[in-house]
Amino acid sequence: MSDAAPSPSISPARARFVTRVVRALGAVAIVGLLLGAVTARVVWSGESEIAESTAALRRGDAYEATVRARRAAGWYAPGAPHVRVAYERLASIATTAEGLGDRDLALLAWRGVRTAALETRWLLVPHKEDLDRANVAIARIEAAAPRPPGTRTEPPQRIEEKQLAALLRDEAPRTPWVVLLLVSFVAWAGGAAWALRRSSASSGVFELARARAGVFVALVGVFLWVLALWRA
């Protein structure tokens, strides 16, 4: 007789649980790698653009430096150093140009700040202070622009107020509806996948009755998605 202890067996339920955990960890790892690759691409592109902007400044090409800094600001990643440098450079170029009377370059730089801030917003506006500062500066410069005789009947202050109101007009989708749009899409896709999985019995026979819950979730998701798309 052998004195070896019998090897412990794993129950089918526990084996399925372990398999699911391993699959979930694998999915998380894949998502993490994809996010890491995307972030690396964004940071690399932003650093390249800000380096080109610096080189243009050293050549005395303020226009090219502004364009490159604008592109760098558009390559947004939370905490990326090139983003802050890009916004500060655009503001510095704009302030200097306005002080020298170069209205076109000042507007180009401030509009670069504004465009980058609007392009990189999602549920929040990461650079709202920069956006507000750019809006005020653009309105001020536009109000002070020379106009043909007889066409400027309003005082500059009133023109500036109108310009600022137009710049502050928010035509972006409203955040709650955007959130609902994402949630409803997940419900739609998840319900459909749930229905397909539940309707397929182990024997391979399609069973519609088992898919009712998933179909219901998918239909609710479709309805909410259409509603959010309409209201956003």
Side-chain angles (χ1 to χ4, degrees):
M1 292 181 61
S2 174
D3 294 335
S7 58
S9 59
I10 301 177
S11 65
R14 183 169 180 79
R16 287 194 297 270
F17 173 76
V18 172
T19 301
R20 290 173 182 172
V21 170
V22 171
R23 289 177 179 174
L25 291 176
V28 170
I30 292 174
V31 172
L33 288 174
L34 291 175
L35 290 176
V38 171
T39 302
R41 162 66 175 165
V42 168
V43 172
W44 181 84
S45 298
E47 291 291 343
S48 297
E49 291 292 349
I50 207 65
E52 291 293 336
S53 175
T54 301
L57 277 180
R58 290 172 178 169
R59 295 194 305 268
D61 190 345
Y63 177 85
E64 180 69 14
T66 302
V67 172
R68 293 289 187 170
R70 155 68 188 88
R71 293 177 184 174
W75 287 105
Y76 174 75
H82 70 268
V83 177
R84 186 68 264 165
V85 172
Y87 277 95
E88 290 176 354
R89 179 162 299 171
L90 287 170
S92 177
I93 291 174
T95 303
T96 302
E98 189 176 358
L100 295 175
D102 192 341
R103 174 179 174 273
D104 292 336
L105 181 59
L107 282 175
L108 178 67
W110 283 126
R111 285 170 179 164
V113 172
R114 184 174 190 273
T115 303
L118 292 176
E119 282 183 352
T120 56
R121 66 179 174 180
W122 49 299
L123 300 180
L124 302 173
V125 182
H127 290 271
K128 190 177 185 309
E129 292 183 1
D130 296 304
L131 175 61
D132 293 340
R133 184 183 178 190
N135 286 334
V136 172
I138 293 171
R140 180 182 64 251
I141 296 172
E142 290 284 10
R147 288 174 174 78
T151 62
R152 189 169 185 172
T153 59
E154 293 181 298
Q157 184 177 0
R158 179 58 179 163
I159 297 175
E160 182 177 346
E161 291 174 357
K162 288 184 176 181
Q163 290 281 351
L164 184 58
L167 291 169
L168 293 177
R169 189 179 300 120
D170 190 3
E171 299 178 354
R174 288 166 287 184
T175 299
W177 291 107
V178 173
V179 173
L180 181 60
L181 191 67
L182 297 175
V183 172
S184 60
F185 178 78
V186 172
W188 174 9
W194 185 19
L196 288 174
R197 183 175 180 180
R198 291 284 297 171
S199 63
S200 300
S202 57
S203 60
V205 180
F206 183 80
E207 297 182 9
L208 182 59
R210 301 182 61 186
R212 288 177 181 172
V215 171
F216 175 77
V217 173
L219 290 176
V220 171
V222 171
F223 172 76
L224 293 177
W225 186 82
V226 173
L227 177 63
L229 189 64
W230 174 52
R231 294 300 302 273

